[in-house]
Amino acid sequence: MSISNLAPIPELYVSHESAQKLKVEAGDLPSWDLTPRQICDLELLMNGGFNPLKGFLDQADYDSVVERMRLEDGTLWPMPVTLDVSTEFADKIEIGQDIALRDQEGVILATMTVTSRWEPDKHREAEKVFGADDLAHPAVYYLHHTAGRIYLGGPVTGIQPPVHYDFRARRDTPNELRAYFRKLGWRRIVAFQTRNPLHRAHQELTFRAAKEAQANLLIHPVVGMTKPGDVDHFTRVRCYEAVLDKYPQATTTMSLLNLAMRMAGPREAVWHGLIRKNHGCTHFIVGRDHAGPGKNSAGEDFYGPYDAQELFRQYQDEIGIEMVDFRHMVYVQERAQYEPADEIEEGVTVLNISGTELRRRLAEGLEIPEWFSFPEVVAELRKTRPARSKQGFTVFFTGLSGSGKSTIANAVMVKLMEMGGRPVTLLDGDVVRKHLSSELGFSKEHRDINIRRIGYVASEITKNGGIAICAPIAPYSATRRGVREMIEAYGAFCEVHVATPLEECEARDRKGLYKLAREGKIKEFTGISDPYEAPETPELRVDTTGIDVDNCAQQVILKLEQMGLIAGR
């Protein structure tokens, strides 16, 4: 077998001397501050992880990749890697111009010659790349709500890699990994892609896969962007390090991949294969529902369990890497060991804990058996994910002006403070306006900014183990969803829709606002001249018509208890 997989591959960096010179010159160029996802993409462009790409895709390559998974010249490449920017920035750029690409601290990482500028058809991109234009898919949601409207394409000149202060010894470029494999005399290397902590079944599966392929094993977890709600990469890497000792010495290594996943299922599997090929691997484990994002809007899986394996098998010769099937491993109680599910005879007891069940046990502080996971891994997970009744959370009230949100929120705050155990902060609309958003008006844009600020503060409170209670009107569902995602990264989110009808709110009109809105003296007033988008699936809906505040607050407390967020003594 040739060892071309270990020869150096091209990178897009210039020499150290040229980089110093270029950095000075680039200081005068128009510059774009890269988003976290673009930083991940740029790093893999520059270090050869996205070889043969020489920069962000131009329009012809983009169209070709979206339609037929190939660059314009016919090379297999399944994922659009694009530089999305705002219309304001794009309007200032001429074709043929160089721009500086900066990280979030303002450090220039690269320059790019803009050869292409266009407004993509994002609905088509969603359909073709992700299989559906469905906002339940995190990458489709990103495409429509986060990504810029205009794409710029063109070759990139690398000046320096993004700086990572964490796990530096574990981060390798494709050429560093290839050199490491050469040095150890490894010729066949099977890569395992993961974005979740490794439990015993994964350890067993990867160990067997390497043994069957007669290959060394590279555990290659993604530490760029994964799916919202995933375990953070700091915890995951500590879990991986705990598992590394369980493999035979000198057969296995681990390296971190700074990839921004798109959760694109079959296309993503092919993409992962090409990336691993660039990192010097010869084999790749493709899992069931590889890189699947979970359920679509209709509650069904986005991709079939074996779609990714089928697409990968179709292209494996062209990728230049051999697929290793992910064997579903289960624990056989009688023999006290893991075995492939398809080889087990009838009549034996198979034990299994699903991901959902694992999360439940962590959330409720229940035992996680040693046959399922290593005690070291469980200990790391418990540090980051304490039992739910010890975690921070946010209660987010939304409803029309005068619906009773603030009154219930105050009552809930007092009840939670009476229980004790966690600090409670009330982020009421008027208080926030005074201290956080005094310069904002009441236009749609300003109201959105205000809600996002509330969400940000609530997410910090939640992250640090406190309870945040928010009571803004928050009329738009897209903004509420953004806030939910911000908070659910750190703890639970309980949305309470105070569904008091407009007539009742207007009849109360404590602040006289509805009267002014009807007279046209307040523009863009929610419920009168501006819409209120009622939540479709809040955790709780209450109506304060004819019901006293205490009863409504009690419903909220019972809901929090049901969600496991407050526990009996």
Side-chain angles (χ1 to χ4, degrees), residues 452 493 496:
R452 287 184 190 282
F493 183 82
V496 181

mmCIF file of all heavy atoms in Angstrom, residues 452 493 496:
data_model
loop_
_atom_site.group_PDB
_atom_site.id
_atom_site.type_symbol
_atom_site.label_atom_id
_atom_site.label_comp_id
_atom_site.label_asym_id
_atom_site.label_seq_id
_atom_site.Cartn_x
_atom_site.Cartn_y
_atom_site.Cartn_z
ATOM 1 N N ARG A 452 -33.224 40.314 23.382
ATOM 2 C CA ARG A 452 -31.974 39.547 23.307
ATOM 3 C C ARG A 452 -31.048 39.903 24.481
ATOM 4 O O ARG A 452 -30.334 39.061 24.994
ATOM 5 C CB ARG A 452 -31.271 39.780 21.966
ATOM 6 C CG ARG A 452 -31.997 39.087 20.834
ATOM 7 C CD ARG A 452 -31.309 39.208 19.499
ATOM 8 N NE ARG A 452 -32.165 38.721 18.436
ATOM 9 C CZ ARG A 452 -32.369 37.437 18.158
ATOM 10 N NH1 ARG A 452 -31.767 36.510 18.860
ATOM 11 N NH2 ARG A 452 -33.175 37.075 17.169
ATOM 12 N N PHE A 493 -35.200 25.995 30.298
ATOM 13 C CA PHE A 493 -35.951 27.183 29.895
ATOM 14 C C PHE A 493 -37.422 26.833 30.016
ATOM 15 O O PHE A 493 -37.885 25.862 29.416
ATOM 16 C CB PHE A 493 -35.594 27.518 28.447
ATOM 17 C CG PHE A 493 -36.254 28.769 27.911
ATOM 18 C CD1 PHE A 493 -35.711 30.015 28.190
ATOM 19 C CD2 PHE A 493 -37.385 28.703 27.106
ATOM 20 C CE1 PHE A 493 -36.285 31.175 27.671
ATOM 21 C CE2 PHE A 493 -37.969 29.849 26.589
ATOM 22 C CZ PHE A 493 -37.420 31.100 26.880
ATOM 23 N N VAL A 496 -43.616 30.564 29.796
ATOM 24 C CA VAL A 496 -44.988 30.646 30.315
ATOM 25 C C VAL A 496 -45.734 31.689 29.487
ATOM 26 O O VAL A 496 -45.393 32.871 29.516
ATOM 27 C CB VAL A 496 -45.003 31.050 31.808
ATOM 28 C CG1 VAL A 496 -46.447 31.107 32.318
ATOM 29 C CG2 VAL A 496 -44.175 30.078 32.634
#
